């Protein structure tokens, strides 16, 4: 039977025979005698029902397309109900002729036409199904009708249910006791407590209520399965070659050598990371810290401990300017590390380097046999999961450093027990105020930017476009257009960068700001990650609704890196949708990146956690075709079942 052709059921997500019982009914029709309407005097508009009466009359009306068939039923008291079928007159005529003056049953929705009871969207009921609760399965327009799905399921389910139960039990790895305990939540007192009995209750329920409960329980089982896989991903398996022999006193020695004095919180986080690195369980840890809170220093101290203990370090950065900045910072703190800089435009070999900092060029420039003991990924939301995984070996310790993790990572932390370290205090005291401004605030915003620059500080304006198809000199939506306008206000003191510029041009623009040769930087989101401009006090983001919360928080983090007061203005030249406004208000409400990431996860969905999928956001699909797990199901499983 495993070779049974599934035909058009594959369009509904059923690709293998054992999956048939996982095609869940949309709803049920109660054809038991107690649920059938046989007296028509109580007729409630909009109520779905099953009616039974004597077929007294039928006639075809051909004055419209498609043709329609009007059928009249009468109850025992003489009251009538009419039902109109469209487009099926040829098929119905022989059935009606055979059933005239006989008792028949139909489903439909109660309605009225010209004050008379009418059964809307009627469907015939097979008399052999009376007395049962019938599942109604999804169909696909122009592919397979719901009735045909029902017929196929009825024929194949007796053999498919045991096959499905066996396959799921193997995947779930339940003991007999676990199966009985969990399935018994629904089936206790209604038969046995096996998974096969649950599947039977879904497709052949004794009552509509039992069918609905059985469906909900199977969804919870599927949610628990997803969370179990996520937990296995978040907590990697033991590997005898993973442990790095870091001496307990080494972190303190490294801190004493660097010019930057760590905070107690930073010291504690480095010690936590080093304990993981000394373990035979490869680390999978998130280091969450807002911009300016010292996560680079913390990760670098752990990486230096690995290097000094004979290990190999790879540090992945999302862009060239950040890679250069990171490499220079690490070399300044601990010169003996001599970190190699690996960029796409260089021909430098990596065969002998034990500490490498680079962009995605690392993925292509490492020799095939190069073993990485410690991988640091800076701002992982800028990479695909496949890119990161390509650098992680079976014994590679992985540290994910970010100010705003992707929804998938936030979910692994929240629901799968992924290790997380948070830096909550910056080296310097600073406050950043975030505002939402509209077109009515354009002139005051312009004046505020001017005052920032005139008082000796720097400002950043971020636009969604590099250039515009219109006359860009007059266009305030693009970086190049705005550069021309602002350069007229501050001649020679304005620079701009965007993704189409060469890496060298970008570096030159940023360097001009660092050298105090410029006061205003006009940019696209090319500025968002990693760039340190100590004098920057004010950032304006134009059309913020076009950017994700992670990106917006990263840009905001550029402000007040040296301490003090900073301002982040989200400027909306046009009205936006309520959902977009709600999303932006999260950034106004929360200043901590982990809080922003958590709220972003709730908005976007948790991503494809605990599987081989690569979706970083959206809802996770379970083993049930079309079922996407939700937060209510997740919390129910976490509160009641061990995953």
């Amino acid at each position: 039977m495993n070779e049974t052709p599934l035909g058009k059921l594959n369009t509904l997500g059923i690709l293998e025979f054992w999956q048939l019982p996982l095609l869940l009914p949309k709803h049920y029709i109660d054809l038991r005698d107690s649920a059938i309407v046989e007296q028509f005097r109580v007729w409630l508009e909009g109520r779905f029902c099953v009616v039974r009466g004597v077929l007294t009359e039928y006639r075809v009306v051909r004055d419209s397309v498609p043709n329609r068939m009007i059928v009249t039923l009468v109850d025992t008291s003489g009251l009538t109900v009419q039902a109109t079928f469209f487009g099926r007159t040829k098929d119905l005529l022989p059935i009606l002729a055979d059933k005239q003056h006989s008792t028949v049953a139909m489903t439909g929705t109660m309605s009225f036409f010209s004050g008379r009871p009418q059964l809307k969207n009627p469907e015939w009921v097979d008399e052999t199904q009376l007395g049962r609760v019938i599942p109604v399965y999804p169909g696909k327009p122009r592919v397979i009708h719901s009735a045909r799905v029902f017929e196929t399921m009825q024929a194949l389910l007796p053999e498919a249910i045991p096959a499905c139960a066996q396959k799921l039990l193997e995947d779930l790895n339940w003991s007999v006791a676990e199966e009985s305990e969990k399935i018994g939540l629904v089936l206790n007192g209604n038969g046995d407590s096996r998974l096969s009995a649950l599947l039977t209750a879904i497709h052949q329920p004794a009552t509509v209520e039992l069918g609905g409960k059985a469906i909900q329980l199977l969804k919870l089982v599927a949610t628990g399965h997803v969370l179990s896989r996520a937990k296995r991903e978040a907590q990697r398996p033991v590997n005898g070659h993973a442990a790095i022999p870091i001496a307990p006193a080494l972190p303190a020695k490294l801190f004493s050598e660097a010019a930057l004095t760590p905070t107690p919180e930073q010291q504690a986080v480095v010690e936590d990371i080093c304990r993981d690195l000394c373990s035979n369980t490869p680390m999978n840890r998130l280091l969450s810290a807002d911009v300016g809170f010292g996560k680079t220093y913390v990760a670098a101290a752990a990486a230096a401990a690995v290097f000094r203990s004979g290990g190999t370090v790879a540090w992945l950065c999302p862009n060239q300017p950040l890679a250069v900045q990171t490499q220079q910072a690490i070399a300044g703190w601990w010169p003996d590390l001599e970190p190699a800089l690996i960029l796409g435009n260089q021909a430098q070999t990596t065969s002998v380097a034990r500490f490498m900092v680079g962009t995605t060029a690392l993925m292509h420039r490492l020799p095939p046999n190069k073993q990485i003991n410690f991988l640091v990924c800076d701002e992982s939301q800028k990479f695909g999961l496949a890119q990161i995984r390509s650098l992680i070996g079976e014994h590679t310790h992985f540290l994910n450093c970010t100010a705003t993790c992707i929804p998938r990572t936030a979910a692994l932390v929240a629901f799968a027990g992924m290790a997380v370290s948070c830096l909550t205090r910056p080296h310097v005291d600073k406050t950043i105020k975030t505002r939402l401004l509209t077109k009515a605030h354009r002139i005051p915003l312009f004046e505020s930017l001017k005052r920032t620059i005139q008082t000796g500080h720097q400002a950043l304006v971020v636009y969604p476009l590099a250039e515009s198809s219109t006359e860009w000199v007059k266009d305030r939506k693009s970086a190049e257009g705005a550069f021309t306008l602002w350069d007229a206000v501050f001649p020679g003191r304005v620079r701009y960068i965007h993704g189409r510029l060469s890496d060298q041009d970008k570096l030159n623009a940023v360097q001009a700001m660092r050298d105090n040769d410029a006061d205003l930087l006009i940019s696209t989101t090319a500025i968002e990650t990693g760039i340190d401009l100590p004098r920057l006090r004010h950032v304006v983001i134009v059309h913020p609704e076009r950017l994700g919360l992670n990106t917006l928080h990263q840009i905001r983090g550029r402000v007040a890196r040296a301490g003090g007061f900073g301002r982040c203005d989200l400027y909306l030249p046009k009205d936006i949708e309520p959902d977009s406004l709600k999303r932006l208000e999260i950034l106004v409400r929360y200043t901590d990146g982990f809080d922003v990431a958590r709220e972003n996860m709730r908005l976007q969905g948790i991503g494809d956690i605990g599987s081989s999928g690569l979706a970083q956001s959206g809802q996770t699909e379970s083993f049930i075709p079309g079922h996407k797990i939700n937060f209510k199901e997740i919390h129910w499983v976490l509160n009641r079942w061990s995953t």
Side-chain angles (χ1 to χ4, degrees), residues 283-459:
M283 180 175 66
N284 186 23
R285 179 177 287 270
L286 172 68
L287 174 57
S288 177
D290 277 337
V291 177
F293 280 47
K295 64 178 178 294
T296 299
Y297 183 52
V298 165
V306 171
F307 181 88
R308 292 268 185 96
S309 303
T312 298
V313 177
W315 191 302
L316 184 61
C317 297
N319 55 55
Q320 178 171 322
L322 181 56
V324 172
Q325 179 176 294
T326 301
Q327 188 262 356
Q328 291 175 347
I330 295 172
W333 291 324
W334 301 285
D336 65 294
L337 272 56
E338 298 182 342
L341 185 62
I342 313 301
L343 305 174
N345 60 0
Q346 294 179 347
Q348 179 179 349
T349 180
T350 62
S351 59
V352 297
R354 287 200 298 113
F355 199 126
M356 298 155 285
V357 179
T359 60
T360 52
L362 277 170
M363 302 171 189
H364 313 291
R365 303 273 290 283
L366 288 176
N369 59 348
K370 191 75 171 181
Q371 299 294 321
I372 299 174
N373 298 107
F374 185 35
L375 173 65
V376 179
C377 183
D378 205 345
E379 305 302 346
S380 62
Q381 73 274 9
K382 293 298 178 182
F383 302 97
L385 293 176
Q387 291 179 303
I388 296 172
R389 287 173 175 170
S390 69
L391 294 172
I392 300 178
E394 291 183 356
H395 65 268
T396 303
H397 295 273
F398 176 54
L399 183 64
N400 179 352
C401 302
T402 182
T404 48
C405 60
I406 59 175
R408 184 179 187 276
T409 303
L412 288 174
V413 171
F415 307 128
M418 180 178 178
V420 59
S421 296
C422 295
L423 297 176
T424 61
R425 299 177 184 85
H427 270 287
V428 293
D429 291 331
K430 66 176 181 177
T431 301
I432 302 176
K433 182 176 178 60
T434 304
R435 303 183 299 178
L436 273 171
L437 303 177
T438 65
K439 189 175 181 179
H441 303 96
R442 185 174 66 85
I443 294 177
L445 177 59
F446 181 83
E447 294 300 324
S448 177
L449 273 171
K450 286 176 61 177
R451 285 195 301 273
T452 295
I453 295 170
Q454 290 168 348
T455 54
H457 301 297
Q458 291 178 330

Side-chain angles (χ1 to χ4, degrees), residues 55-290:
L55 173 61
T56 60
E57 180 185 1
Y58 61 91
R59 57 192 175 90
V60 178
V61 181
R62 293 188 171 88
D63 60 356
S64 64
V65 178
N67 293 339
R68 64 187 187 276
M69 176 81 72
I70 300 176
V71 177
T72 303
L73 300 185
V74 62
D75 67 7
T76 55
S77 64
L79 296 176
T80 61
V81 166
Q82 286 190 336
T84 303
F85 295 84
F86 290 91
R88 298 169 54 189
T89 57
K90 184 177 179 180
D91 296 334
L92 285 173
L93 279 173
I95 299 174
L96 294 171
D98 183 62
K99 296 292 184 181
Q100 191 169 18
H101 306 303
S102 300
T103 300
V104 298
M106 301 181 211
T107 65
T109 303
M110 294 179 176
S111 63
F112 291 90
F113 181 74
S114 298
R116 300 178 61 184
Q118 177 95 0
L119 192 64
K120 188 177 180 181
N121 299 324
E123 292 284 348
W124 286 102
V125 173
D126 186 341
E127 294 176 5
T128 63
Q129 305 297 338
L130 293 175
R132 299 173 51 193
V133 173
I134 302 300
V136 178
Y137 296 99
K140 199 171 185 68
R142 301 188 191 88
V143 178
I144 185 169
H145 193 272
S146 173
R148 178 58 181 162
V149 176
F150 174 80
E151 294 171 2
T152 303
M153 297 290 284
Q154 290 296 298
L156 298 179
L157 279 172
E159 192 168 349
I161 284 176
C164 182
Q166 181 62 36
K167 178 69 167 63
L168 291 182
L169 286 173
E170 292 173 0
D171 290 346
L172 293 166
N173 196 29
W174 279 353
S175 66
V176 174
E178 285 178 297
E179 180 184 16
S180 178
E181 177 187 0
K182 292 175 180 176
I183 303 306
L185 288 172
V186 164
L187 299 181
N188 189 28
N190 295 280
D192 60 35
S193 297
R194 293 177 299 170
L195 190 55
S196 58
L198 179 69
L199 296 173
T200 300
I202 289 172
H203 298 282
Q204 299 172 7
T207 65
V208 171
E209 180 184 28
L210 179 61
K213 286 184 176 180
I215 288 176
Q216 186 56 52
L217 180 57
L218 186 65
K219 289 180 177 179
L220 293 172
V221 170
T223 299
H225 182 238
V226 169
L227 293 177
S228 294
R229 289 184 300 160
K231 188 173 182 179
R232 287 196 296 271
E233 176 180 333
Q235 300 173 6
R236 296 167 60 196
V238 173
N239 184 291
H241 301 288
I244 301 170
I246 299 174
L250 183 54
K253 183 176 187 301
L254 289 165
F255 285 136
S256 69
E257 295 174 7
L260 186 61
T261 302
T263 66
E265 184 179 54
Q266 289 173 332
Q267 293 180 37
V269 170
V270 171
E271 290 170 0
D272 286 342
I273 294 172
C274 286
R275 273 193 292 271
D276 280 359
L277 293 170
C278 292
S279 169
N280 276 326
T281 300
M283 180 175 66
N284 186 23
R285 179 177 287 270
L286 172 68
L287 174 57
S288 177
D290 277 337

Side-chain angles (χ1 to χ4, degrees), residues 542-573:
V542 182
H543 283 296
E545 76 280 6
R546 301 183 185 182
L547 304 176
L549 285 182
N550 287 358
T551 296
L552 293 170
H553 183 69
Q554 286 284 345
I555 295 172
R556 175 170 64 179
R558 303 302 107 208
V559 177
R561 293 290 296 269
F565 180 79
R567 189 182 299 281
C568 175
D569 290 330
L570 309 176
Y571 177 54
L572 300 167

